[in-house]
Amino acid sequence: EQVDQTYIMVKPDGVQRGLVGEIISRFEKKGFKLTGLKLFQCSKELAEEHYKDLKQKSFFPKLIDYITSGPVVCMAWEGVGVVASARKLIGATDPLQAEPGTIRGDLAVQTGRNVVHGSDSPENGKREIALWFKEGEVCDWTPVQSPWLRE
Ligand code: DAT
Ligand code: MG
């Protein structure tokens, strides 16, 4: 099976609200592999490049202000089906529409403060990890639990 990578980011509200551990835990417990992790204050330029597909949207300036308003936690996660699965764990963009049990469904109330980002395709997963992490910041390793997660 195809192993994919996804870029997950705890947004500034998630960091300020002390939700970093809780959010990392959800992906860890699911059984995906963490390959990159850092606390990071991003520039306006990086935020704009990350969200370039939304440049024409009316909310774009507010989105960039929000994402650059404080440190974020950048993560790279790897696994079979990780992109789609992470989107399910995160829940709908609008936290009021997100199912209970999802990160946004459990921990947030507004689209403009929806605590976490997850890539929407394997291609964007690769693109976003390359954008947010430098060479050498992503680690290849084998968790001891691997044989207990997949037959
Ligand atoms: P997602 O983060 O679920 O992939 P998206 O890629 O469509 O959603 O949008 C990126 C972010 O932009 C989203 O997490 C919050 C913000 N956003 C999206 N739609 C919005 C809207 N209608 N009003 C305000 N902010 C919005
Ligand atoms: Mg998106």
PDB file of all heavy atoms in Angstrom, residues 35-61:
ATOM      1  N   THR A  35       6.957  12.295  12.023  1.00  0.00           N
ATOM      2  CA  THR A  35       8.280  12.387  11.380  1.00  0.00           C
ATOM      3  C   THR A  35       8.873  13.794  11.465  1.00  0.00           C
ATOM      4  O   THR A  35      10.037  13.996  11.137  1.00  0.00           O
ATOM      5  CB  THR A  35       8.217  11.957   9.899  1.00  0.00           C
ATOM      6  OG1 THR A  35       7.272  12.789   9.209  1.00  0.00           O
ATOM      7  CG2 THR A  35       7.823  10.499   9.753  1.00  0.00           C
ATOM      8  N   GLY A  36       8.064  14.773  11.917  1.00  0.00           N
ATOM      9  CA  GLY A  36       8.575  16.138  12.069  1.00  0.00           C
ATOM     10  C   GLY A  36       7.737  16.883  13.088  1.00  0.00           C
ATOM     11  O   GLY A  36       6.524  16.679  13.152  1.00  0.00           O
ATOM     12  N   LEU A  37       8.396  17.733  13.896  1.00  0.00           N
ATOM     13  CA  LEU A  37       7.683  18.461  14.961  1.00  0.00           C
ATOM     14  C   LEU A  37       8.474  19.682  15.401  1.00  0.00           C
ATOM     15  O   LEU A  37       9.648  19.569  15.755  1.00  0.00           O
ATOM     16  CB  LEU A  37       7.500  17.521  16.165  1.00  0.00           C
ATOM     17  CG  LEU A  37       6.894  18.100  17.437  1.00  0.00           C
ATOM     18  CD1 LEU A  37       5.437  18.489  17.237  1.00  0.00           C
ATOM     19  CD2 LEU A  37       6.999  17.091  18.579  1.00  0.00           C
ATOM     20  N   LYS A  38       7.830  20.857  15.353  1.00  0.00           N
ATOM     21  CA  LYS A  38       8.489  22.052  15.908  1.00  0.00           C
ATOM     22  C   LYS A  38       7.489  23.150  16.233  1.00  0.00           C
ATOM     23  O   LYS A  38       6.435  23.263  15.606  1.00  0.00           O
ATOM     24  CB  LYS A  38       9.532  22.597  14.928  1.00  0.00           C
ATOM     25  CG  LYS A  38       8.949  23.131  13.623  1.00  0.00           C
ATOM     26  CD  LYS A  38      10.040  23.695  12.699  1.00  0.00           C
ATOM     27  CE  LYS A  38       9.437  24.157  11.382  1.00  0.00           C
ATOM     28  NZ  LYS A  38      10.476  24.595  10.428  1.00  0.00           N
ATOM     29  N   LEU A  39       7.851  23.974  17.240  1.00  0.00           N
ATOM     30  CA  LEU A  39       7.123  25.208  17.528  1.00  0.00           C
ATOM     31  C   LEU A  39       7.743  26.293  16.656  1.00  0.00           C
ATOM     32  O   LEU A  39       8.969  26.382  16.569  1.00  0.00           O
ATOM     33  CB  LEU A  39       7.281  25.570  19.004  1.00  0.00           C
ATOM     34  CG  LEU A  39       6.493  26.789  19.483  1.00  0.00           C
ATOM     35  CD1 LEU A  39       5.014  26.461  19.622  1.00  0.00           C
ATOM     36  CD2 LEU A  39       7.028  27.297  20.817  1.00  0.00           C
ATOM     37  N   PHE A  40       6.896  27.104  16.025  1.00  0.00           N
ATOM     38  CA  PHE A  40       7.421  27.985  14.990  1.00  0.00           C
ATOM     39  C   PHE A  40       6.555  29.230  14.822  1.00  0.00           C
ATOM     40  O   PHE A  40       5.320  29.130  14.781  1.00  0.00           O
ATOM     41  CB  PHE A  40       7.440  27.176  13.676  1.00  0.00           C
ATOM     42  CG  PHE A  40       8.055  27.858  12.502  1.00  0.00           C
ATOM     43  CD1 PHE A  40       9.405  28.184  12.480  1.00  0.00           C
ATOM     44  CD2 PHE A  40       7.275  28.173  11.393  1.00  0.00           C
ATOM     45  CE1 PHE A  40       9.965  28.811  11.379  1.00  0.00           C
ATOM     46  CE2 PHE A  40       7.833  28.797  10.277  1.00  0.00           C
ATOM     47  CZ  PHE A  40       9.187  29.115  10.284  1.00  0.00           C
ATOM     48  N   GLN A  41       7.200  30.387  14.758  1.00  0.00           N
ATOM     49  CA  GLN A  41       6.488  31.637  14.439  1.00  0.00           C
ATOM     50  C   GLN A  41       6.658  31.879  12.942  1.00  0.00           C
ATOM     51  O   GLN A  41       7.769  32.108  12.475  1.00  0.00           O
ATOM     52  CB  GLN A  41       7.084  32.794  15.245  1.00  0.00           C
ATOM     53  CG  GLN A  41       6.558  34.162  14.832  1.00  0.00           C
ATOM     54  CD  GLN A  41       5.060  34.337  15.108  1.00  0.00           C
ATOM     55  OE1 GLN A  41       4.614  34.185  16.223  1.00  0.00           O
ATOM     56  NE2 GLN A  41       4.288  34.653  14.060  1.00  0.00           N
ATOM     57  N   CYS A  42       5.582  31.795  12.180  1.00  0.00           N
ATOM     58  CA  CYS A  42       5.736  31.896  10.727  1.00  0.00           C
ATOM     59  C   CYS A  42       5.576  33.322  10.231  1.00  0.00           C
ATOM     60  O   CYS A  42       4.940  34.170  10.865  1.00  0.00           O
ATOM     61  CB  CYS A  42       4.799  30.935  10.003  1.00  0.00           C
ATOM     62  SG  CYS A  42       3.156  31.536   9.681  1.00  0.00           S
ATOM     63  N   SER A  43       6.188  33.601   9.097  1.00  0.00           N
ATOM     64  CA  SER A  43       6.111  34.919   8.461  1.00  0.00           C
ATOM     65  C   SER A  43       4.814  35.029   7.665  1.00  0.00           C
ATOM     66  O   SER A  43       4.188  34.018   7.329  1.00  0.00           O
ATOM     67  CB  SER A  43       7.301  35.100   7.519  1.00  0.00           C
ATOM     68  OG  SER A  43       7.199  34.172   6.457  1.00  0.00           O
ATOM     69  N   LYS A  44       4.467  36.265   7.322  1.00  0.00           N
ATOM     70  CA  LYS A  44       3.311  36.545   6.478  1.00  0.00           C
ATOM     71  C   LYS A  44       3.497  35.855   5.117  1.00  0.00           C
ATOM     72  O   LYS A  44       2.561  35.270   4.577  1.00  0.00           O
ATOM     73  CB  LYS A  44       3.220  38.062   6.296  1.00  0.00           C
ATOM     74  CG  LYS A  44       1.925  38.578   5.729  1.00  0.00           C
ATOM     75  CD  LYS A  44       1.850  40.099   5.945  1.00  0.00           C
ATOM     76  CE  LYS A  44       0.500  40.642   5.503  1.00  0.00           C
ATOM     77  NZ  LYS A  44       0.455  41.020   4.099  1.00  0.00           N
ATOM     78  N   GLU A  45       4.724  35.905   4.607  1.00  0.00           N
ATOM     79  CA  GLU A  45       5.032  35.323   3.287  1.00  0.00           C
ATOM     80  C   GLU A  45       4.759  33.816   3.288  1.00  0.00           C
ATOM     81  O   GLU A  45       4.163  33.284   2.347  1.00  0.00           O
ATOM     82  CB  GLU A  45       6.505  35.580   2.900  1.00  0.00           C
ATOM     83  CG  GLU A  45       6.851  37.030   2.599  1.00  0.00           C
ATOM     84  CD  GLU A  45       6.783  37.965   3.823  1.00  0.00           C
ATOM     85  OE1 GLU A  45       7.103  37.510   4.948  1.00  0.00           O
ATOM     86  OE2 GLU A  45       6.387  39.130   3.650  1.00  0.00           O
ATOM     87  N   LEU A  46       5.212  33.139   4.346  1.00  0.00           N
ATOM     88  CA  LEU A  46       5.010  31.688   4.426  1.00  0.00           C
ATOM     89  C   LEU A  46       3.528  31.353   4.550  1.00  0.00           C
ATOM     90  O   LEU A  46       3.018  30.450   3.874  1.00  0.00           O
ATOM     91  CB  LEU A  46       5.803  31.104   5.602  1.00  0.00           C
ATOM     92  CG  LEU A  46       5.661  29.595   5.833  1.00  0.00           C
ATOM     93  CD1 LEU A  46       6.056  28.799   4.598  1.00  0.00           C
ATOM     94  CD2 LEU A  46       6.487  29.149   7.033  1.00  0.00           C
ATOM     95  N   ALA A  47       2.821  32.119   5.392  1.00  0.00           N
ATOM     96  CA  ALA A  47       1.374  31.888   5.575  1.00  0.00           C
ATOM     97  C   ALA A  47       0.642  32.072   4.243  1.00  0.00           C
ATOM     98  O   ALA A  47      -0.241  31.283   3.890  1.00  0.00           O
ATOM     99  CB  ALA A  47       0.828  32.836   6.637  1.00  0.00           C
ATOM    100  N   GLU A  48       1.029  33.094   3.496  1.00  0.00           N
ATOM    101  CA  GLU A  48       0.376  33.375   2.200  1.00  0.00           C
ATOM    102  C   GLU A  48       0.660  32.276   1.181  1.00  0.00           C
ATOM    103  O   GLU A  48      -0.212  31.909   0.390  1.00  0.00           O
ATOM    104  CB  GLU A  48       0.825  34.742   1.667  1.00  0.00           C
ATOM    105  CG  GLU A  48       0.189  35.887   2.438  1.00  0.00           C
ATOM    106  CD  GLU A  48       0.679  37.273   2.016  1.00  0.00           C
ATOM    107  OE1 GLU A  48       1.654  37.354   1.235  1.00  0.00           O
ATOM    108  OE2 GLU A  48       0.089  38.256   2.478  1.00  0.00           O
ATOM    109  N   GLU A  49       1.875  31.754   1.201  1.00  0.00           N
ATOM    110  CA  GLU A  49       2.228  30.662   0.289  1.00  0.00           C
ATOM    111  C   GLU A  49       1.450  29.391   0.669  1.00  0.00           C
ATOM    112  O   GLU A  49       0.919  28.694  -0.202  1.00  0.00           O
ATOM    113  CB  GLU A  49       3.743  30.415   0.340  1.00  0.00           C
ATOM    114  CG  GLU A  49       4.241  29.276  -0.535  1.00  0.00           C
ATOM    115  CD  GLU A  49       3.998  29.486  -2.032  1.00  0.00           C
ATOM    116  OE1 GLU A  49       3.856  30.652  -2.465  1.00  0.00           O
ATOM    117  OE2 GLU A  49       3.934  28.470  -2.762  1.00  0.00           O
ATOM    118  N   HIS A  50       1.367  29.120   1.958  1.00  0.00           N
ATOM    119  CA  HIS A  50       0.642  27.946   2.444  1.00  0.00           C
ATOM    120  C   HIS A  50      -0.825  27.978   1.993  1.00  0.00           C
ATOM    121  O   HIS A  50      -1.377  26.971   1.565  1.00  0.00           O
ATOM    122  CB  HIS A  50       0.726  27.887   3.971  1.00  0.00           C
ATOM    123  CG  HIS A  50      -0.089  26.799   4.597  1.00  0.00           C
ATOM    124  ND1 HIS A  50       0.307  25.478   4.586  1.00  0.00           N
ATOM    125  CD2 HIS A  50      -1.279  26.824   5.245  1.00  0.00           C
ATOM    126  CE1 HIS A  50      -0.613  24.749   5.207  1.00  0.00           C
ATOM    127  NE2 HIS A  50      -1.589  25.539   5.608  1.00  0.00           N
ATOM    128  N   TYR A  51      -1.448  29.150   2.110  1.00  0.00           N
ATOM    129  CA  TYR A  51      -2.875  29.295   1.794  1.00  0.00           C
ATOM    130  C   TYR A  51      -3.098  29.954   0.430  1.00  0.00           C
ATOM    131  O   TYR A  51      -4.138  30.582   0.219  1.00  0.00           O
ATOM    132  CB  TYR A  51      -3.576  30.095   2.892  1.00  0.00           C
ATOM    133  CG  TYR A  51      -3.897  29.306   4.141  1.00  0.00           C
ATOM    134  CD1 TYR A  51      -3.457  29.736   5.392  1.00  0.00           C
ATOM    135  CD2 TYR A  51      -4.669  28.138   4.090  1.00  0.00           C
ATOM    136  CE1 TYR A  51      -3.774  29.010   6.551  1.00  0.00           C
ATOM    137  CE2 TYR A  51      -4.976  27.410   5.239  1.00  0.00           C
ATOM    138  CZ  TYR A  51      -4.536  27.853   6.465  1.00  0.00           C
ATOM    139  OH  TYR A  51      -4.852  27.146   7.608  1.00  0.00           O
ATOM    140  N   LYS A  52      -2.149  29.797  -0.502  1.00  0.00           N
ATOM    141  CA  LYS A  52      -2.228  30.535  -1.778  1.00  0.00           C
ATOM    142  C   LYS A  52      -3.510  30.254  -2.576  1.00  0.00           C
ATOM    143  O   LYS A  52      -3.997  31.139  -3.281  1.00  0.00           O
ATOM    144  CB  LYS A  52      -0.988  30.270  -2.643  1.00  0.00           C
ATOM    145  CG  LYS A  52      -0.830  28.842  -3.110  1.00  0.00           C
ATOM    146  CD  LYS A  52       0.420  28.697  -3.966  1.00  0.00           C
ATOM    147  CE  LYS A  52       0.563  27.261  -4.422  1.00  0.00           C
ATOM    148  NZ  LYS A  52       1.847  27.023  -5.103  1.00  0.00           N
ATOM    149  N   ASP A  53      -4.076  29.053  -2.437  1.00  0.00           N
ATOM    150  CA  ASP A  53      -5.313  28.719  -3.159  1.00  0.00           C
ATOM    151  C   ASP A  53      -6.510  29.551  -2.679  1.00  0.00           C
ATOM    152  O   ASP A  53      -7.542  29.588  -3.352  1.00  0.00           O
ATOM    153  CB  ASP A  53      -5.654  27.234  -2.998  1.00  0.00           C
ATOM    154  CG  ASP A  53      -4.655  26.326  -3.713  1.00  0.00           C
ATOM    155  OD1 ASP A  53      -3.829  26.852  -4.502  1.00  0.00           O
ATOM    156  OD2 ASP A  53      -4.690  25.108  -3.468  1.00  0.00           O
ATOM    157  N   LEU A  54      -6.372  30.174  -1.514  1.00  0.00           N
ATOM    158  CA  LEU A  54      -7.494  30.944  -0.936  1.00  0.00           C
ATOM    159  C   LEU A  54      -7.300  32.455  -1.089  1.00  0.00           C
ATOM    160  O   LEU A  54      -8.064  33.245  -0.540  1.00  0.00           O
ATOM    161  CB  LEU A  54      -7.655  30.588   0.552  1.00  0.00           C
ATOM    162  CG  LEU A  54      -7.942  29.118   0.850  1.00  0.00           C
ATOM    163  CD1 LEU A  54      -7.909  28.852   2.355  1.00  0.00           C
ATOM    164  CD2 LEU A  54      -9.292  28.694   0.266  1.00  0.00           C
ATOM    165  N   LYS A  55      -6.287  32.831  -1.875  1.00  0.00           N
ATOM    166  CA  LYS A  55      -5.905  34.247  -2.019  1.00  0.00           C
ATOM    167  C   LYS A  55      -7.076  35.162  -2.409  1.00  0.00           C
ATOM    168  O   LYS A  55      -7.135  36.317  -1.984  1.00  0.00           O
ATOM    169  CB  LYS A  55      -4.780  34.375  -3.056  1.00  0.00           C
ATOM    170  CG  LYS A  55      -3.901  35.580  -2.840  1.00  0.00           C
ATOM    171  CD  LYS A  55      -2.477  35.341  -3.356  1.00  0.00           C
ATOM    172  CE  LYS A  55      -1.512  36.308  -2.693  1.00  0.00           C
ATOM    173  NZ  LYS A  55      -0.117  35.875  -2.778  1.00  0.00           N
ATOM    174  N   GLN A  56      -7.989  34.655  -3.215  1.00  0.00           N
ATOM    175  CA  GLN A  56      -9.106  35.488  -3.700  1.00  0.00           C
ATOM    176  C   GLN A  56     -10.266  35.593  -2.700  1.00  0.00           C
ATOM    177  O   GLN A  56     -11.196  36.376  -2.902  1.00  0.00           O
ATOM    178  CB  GLN A  56      -9.646  34.936  -5.031  1.00  0.00           C
ATOM    179  CG  GLN A  56      -8.585  34.788  -6.131  1.00  0.00           C
ATOM    180  CD  GLN A  56      -7.740  36.046  -6.319  1.00  0.00           C
ATOM    181  OE1 GLN A  56      -8.251  37.159  -6.278  1.00  0.00           O
ATOM    182  NE2 GLN A  56      -6.425  35.861  -6.502  1.00  0.00           N
ATOM    183  N   LYS A  57     -10.225  34.801  -1.641  1.00  0.00           N
ATOM    184  CA  LYS A  57     -11.339  34.790  -0.685  1.00  0.00           C
ATOM    185  C   LYS A  57     -11.346  36.061   0.168  1.00  0.00           C
ATOM    186  O   LYS A  57     -10.281  36.581   0.521  1.00  0.00           O
ATOM    187  CB  LYS A  57     -11.234  33.568   0.249  1.00  0.00           C
ATOM    188  CG  LYS A  57     -11.214  32.240  -0.472  1.00  0.00           C
ATOM    189  CD  LYS A  57     -12.609  31.822  -0.906  1.00  0.00           C
ATOM    190  CE  LYS A  57     -12.572  30.405  -1.466  1.00  0.00           C
ATOM    191  NZ  LYS A  57     -13.864  29.991  -2.020  1.00  0.00           N
ATOM    192  N   SER A  58     -12.548  36.492   0.531  1.00  0.00           N
ATOM    193  CA  SER A  58     -12.688  37.720   1.331  1.00  0.00           C
ATOM    194  C   SER A  58     -12.029  37.578   2.701  1.00  0.00           C
ATOM    195  O   SER A  58     -11.543  38.546   3.278  1.00  0.00           O
ATOM    196  CB  SER A  58     -14.163  38.068   1.498  1.00  0.00           C
ATOM    197  OG  SER A  58     -14.825  36.988   2.136  1.00  0.00           O
ATOM    198  N   PHE A  59     -12.012  36.350   3.231  1.00  0.00           N
ATOM    199  CA  PHE A  59     -11.457  36.141   4.569  1.00  0.00           C
ATOM    200  C   PHE A  59      -9.930  35.965   4.570  1.00  0.00           C
ATOM    201  O   PHE A  59      -9.337  35.807   5.635  1.00  0.00           O
ATOM    202  CB  PHE A  59     -12.133  34.938   5.243  1.00  0.00           C
ATOM    203  CG  PHE A  59     -12.002  33.630   4.499  1.00  0.00           C
ATOM    204  CD1 PHE A  59     -10.843  32.874   4.564  1.00  0.00           C
ATOM    205  CD2 PHE A  59     -13.053  33.150   3.724  1.00  0.00           C
ATOM    206  CE1 PHE A  59     -10.712  31.667   3.882  1.00  0.00           C
ATOM    207  CE2 PHE A  59     -12.940  31.942   3.033  1.00  0.00           C
ATOM    208  CZ  PHE A  59     -11.764  31.199   3.104  1.00  0.00           C
ATOM    209  N   PHE A  60      -9.304  36.010   3.380  1.00  0.00           N
ATOM    210  CA  PHE A  60      -7.863  35.735   3.289  1.00  0.00           C
ATOM    211  C   PHE A  60      -7.003  36.625   4.218  1.00  0.00           C
ATOM    212  O   PHE A  60      -6.168  36.089   4.967  1.00  0.00           O
ATOM    213  CB  PHE A  60      -7.394  35.835   1.829  1.00  0.00           C
ATOM    214  CG  PHE A  60      -5.979  35.402   1.609  1.00  0.00           C
ATOM    215  CD1 PHE A  60      -5.615  34.062   1.613  1.00  0.00           C
ATOM    216  CD2 PHE A  60      -4.974  36.348   1.395  1.00  0.00           C
ATOM    217  CE1 PHE A  60      -4.304  33.662   1.417  1.00  0.00           C
ATOM    218  CE2 PHE A  60      -3.661  35.956   1.191  1.00  0.00           C
ATOM    219  CZ  PHE A  60      -3.322  34.615   1.205  1.00  0.00           C
ATOM    220  N   PRO A  61      -7.195  37.960   4.212  1.00  0.00           N
ATOM    221  CA  PRO A  61      -6.357  38.793   5.102  1.00  0.00           C
ATOM    222  C   PRO A  61      -6.506  38.425   6.584  1.00  0.00           C
ATOM    223  O   PRO A  61      -5.508  38.353   7.308  1.00  0.00           O
ATOM    224  CB  PRO A  61      -6.865  40.218   4.836  1.00  0.00           C
ATOM    225  CG  PRO A  61      -7.491  40.154   3.471  1.00  0.00           C
ATOM    226  CD  PRO A  61      -8.089  38.780   3.368  1.00  0.00           C
TER     227      PRO A  61
END
